[in-house]
Amino acid sequence: MDIDDNEGDDTKDGGGDMISEDNERLQRIRADLVSLTGGKIGGTIGDWELVSIEPVTHLSVRAGYGAARKLSFMQSDVAAILKYDLYISGDFCELCINDHKIQGNTVKDIVSRTSQDGGLSLLYQLISLRPCFGSFGPEVVETVSQALELSGQDSKYHFTVDTNFIGTSSQGRTYAGTVRSLDCVFLAQSRVADRCTACTKLDSLVINRSLLSGEAGIQLANSDSETETGKVNTSKPSHQSVWKLDTTDEQGCSFLCPQVQTFNCSLPHAFDGSAQATTVVHHRVEISDTLKVKLELCGKLVTRDFPQFAADHQLGPLLDRVAGLRLCVGYPAHRLMKQARYILNHVGRMIPEMRKLFKHYSVDEDFVYRIGGEEEIGTIRSTKCKIESEVGSDICAACRTLQQPIEFQ
């Protein structure tokens, strides 16, 4: 009995020593980090800034600043805008990426490996961690948002929309929100990957943003995350659509598909991640009795050829292709738009040389969108707007030129 009691005491003492050792390690790292920042709030170590010292030492990297901007391997022109937060006290060490706590032993293992090398090594290892991007394509996010809204509190889906995620493209597109598996660990499965293992299954989702019915949710519920061989399908999400026959007569017929499109309405030089807006885009396709195709987005004619339809006359692929097009939203920033309206209303008072600067744009009063629950009207477009946006963007090439300086000629 005496031997058993002593053995139990030794085990208990060993556990206490282990806890004490961990606490001492964290205290050394904590003191080292405070020292490296000069012991002052606002002090920096590389990209990290000291936010607080007591009772919890907090260091943070501003969103998208320095190494907190991570390029995607799947889309090389897209970068995630991330925010890293490190919290250390005497008995815990936590890392949050975009306000998501990193679970598991990842952070603990890094602390153990770098404890002898000091706080600088720890910060380098933590900011080198690659986040899980999820599935950030706007069409996928719009589809899943609709499906979750339709299902309400009784959602049966194994994924959700993370609104904290923000990405930017070299083409000027903003990716606000991403779709994540409910099992997402928020870290990529390797240093050369974009996703965790759970989120790789999201490629099986079917894009369907139509407002005509709840079929978007049905498509998602029936989508399978595995192929017939049992392996995860890593191809891009497929695109399907729901259309209604709008008109028909001896001269032809027309099909209509209203869809949700989300975009960021802040200006490129003054990006605001919370300025997410939503508009309903009416896709209309008219097919004449001679099988000629006429396409409109929100009542505006789009000039585009469909050689595949001309060759095989297959209606389904044509409608899915059209449903994948996005409307050019121009520049709907409310304050700038009010200024543009005023200038155009008084352009006759300007001298001829000044008029040349303002003849390249117009205000589209038919464009309607919602932001923060409020309905807004109007956007600034180039007079040569293509109506259809560029691939990977929410504006067309003509409207993009409004960002460039205009020379007097």
Side-chain angles (χ1 to χ4, degrees):
M1 291 293 295
D2 293 339
I3 295 176
D4 291 340
D5 290 341
N6 290 336
E7 286 181 352
D9 292 338
D10 289 341
T11 303
K12 191 174 294 184
D13 290 342
D17 291 343
M18 186 176 297
I19 294 174
S20 177
E21 182 180 344
D22 290 341
N23 290 348
E24 289 178 4
R25 181 186 297 119
L26 289 176
Q27 290 289 17
R28 287 197 305 270
I29 292 176
R30 182 181 183 183
D32 188 29
L33 292 175
V34 173
S35 175
L36 288 170
T37 58
K40 296 181 179 180
I41 303 299
T44 59
I45 314 173
D47 296 330
W48 294 85
E49 179 181 351
L50 184 63
V51 179
S52 67
I53 300 177
E54 295 291 347
V56 177
T57 300
H58 175 198
L59 290 99
S60 179
V61 180
R62 295 197 301 272
Y65 182 76
R69 178 184 174 92
K70 303 290 187 184
L71 288 173
S72 165
F73 288 116
M74 297 177 63
Q75 298 186 41
S76 58
D77 70 324
V78 175
I81 305 302
L82 306 170
K83 178 175 177 285
Y84 286 71
D85 289 285
L86 175 65
Y87 303 91
I88 300 180
S89 73
D91 55 359
F92 74 89
C93 179
E94 292 181 356
L95 175 69
C96 295
I97 300 179
N98 278 12
D99 297 325
H100 294 295
K101 180 182 176 181
I102 303 303
Q103 304 287 350
N105 294 324
T106 302
V107 176
K108 183 177 180 181
D109 291 342
I110 292 176
V111 171
S112 299
R113 292 198 308 267
T114 60
S115 60
Q116 300 301 321
D117 300 325
L120 189 60
S121 177
L122 172 66
L123 295 182
Y124 174 78
Q125 293 291 330
L126 292 178
I127 204 170
S128 297
L129 290 175
R130 188 162 180 80
C132 172
F133 282 63
S135 187
F136 58 86
E139 294 81 8
V140 178
V141 175
E142 290 160 356
T143 298
V144 172
S145 296
Q146 281 183 243
L148 294 177
E149 184 177 351
L150 288 172
S151 63
Q153 298 295 327
D154 301 325
S155 175
K156 55 186 176 295
Y157 303 116
H158 62 279
F159 41 76
T160 187
V161 176
D162 175 12
T163 56
N164 287 336
F165 179 87
I166 296 176
T168 60
S169 166
S170 60
Q171 296 176 322
R173 188 174 196 173
T174 302
Y175 298 83
T178 188
V179 180
R180 296 189 186 278
S181 166
L182 294 179
D183 298 323
C184 179
V185 296
F186 301 104
L187 289 178
Q189 55 186 323
S190 72
R191 290 182 179 271
V192 291
D194 271 0
R195 301 175 184 170
C196 64
T197 303
C199 287
T200 57
K201 300 178 182 180
L202 296 173
D203 285 328
S204 63
L205 298 178
V206 179
I207 295 173
N208 185 340
R209 301 173 291 147
S210 175
L211 297 176
L212 292 175
S213 69
E215 291 193 25
I218 296 174
Q219 293 285 352
L220 285 168
N222 292 337
S223 63
D224 194 357
S225 61
E226 295 184 352
T227 63
E228 294 179 357
T229 60
K231 295 181 180 180
V232 176
N233 182 6
T234 56
S235 61
K236 292 183 178 180
S238 60
H239 199 126
Q240 296 183 11
S241 54
V242 178
W243 293 73
K244 74 173 182 179
L245 182 63
D246 194 39
T247 62
T248 180
D249 54 36
E250 65 278 3
Q251 296 180 348
C253 58
S254 66
F255 298 87
L256 179 65
C257 179
Q259 295 190 111
V260 171
Q261 179 174 326
T262 58
F263 57 95
N264 190 281
C265 62
S266 59
L267 295 174
H269 68 281
F271 174 74
D272 180 3
S274 64
Q276 284 299 112
T278 302
T279 186
V280 176
V281 180
H282 293 270
H283 297 65
R284 180 183 294 276
V285 174
E286 295 183 11
I287 303 177
S288 69
D289 55 351
T290 60
L291 296 181
K292 294 223 176 144
V293 178
K294 178 183 176 183
L295 167 63
E296 292 181 352
L297 295 178
C298 289
K300 301 181 185 299
L301 183 65
V302 176
T303 304
R304 168 181 275 273
D305 295 325
F306 296 95
Q308 188 63 36
F309 177 75
D312 58 22
H313 298 157
Q314 294 295 313
L315 181 61
L318 168 67
L319 296 182
D320 285 342
R321 178 74 183 89
V322 172
L325 302 180
R326 298 180 74 86
L327 175 71
C328 171
V329 300
Y331 296 97
H334 183 68
R335 182 177 178 182
L336 185 65
M337 201 163 46
K338 289 175 61 178
Q339 295 171 344
R341 283 195 187 105
Y342 180 83
I343 291 174
L344 292 177
N345 289 337
H346 298 85
V347 71
R349 301 180 182 180
M350 298 180 180
I351 59 176
E353 288 77 7
M354 287 296 294
R355 292 178 196 170
K356 292 181 181 180
L357 289 173
F358 304 103
K359 70 178 182 180
H360 299 281
Y361 71 86
S362 61
V363 175
D364 180 3
E365 302 287 1
D366 296 326
F367 183 74
V368 179
Y369 63 99
R370 300 188 70 86
I371 177 170
E374 298 293 329
E375 185 175 275
E376 301 287 350
I377 298 176
T379 186
I380 300 174
R381 298 187 185 277
S382 165
T383 53
K384 298 180 180 179
C385 178
K386 305 296 183 183
I387 306 303
E388 174 193 348
S389 69
E390 290 181 298
V391 176
S393 180
D394 282 315
I395 62 174
C396 67
C399 288
R400 192 182 300 281
T401 61
L402 296 181
Q403 298 179 20
Q404 302 171 0
I406 301 175
E407 298 180 357
F408 286 96
Q409 296 179 352

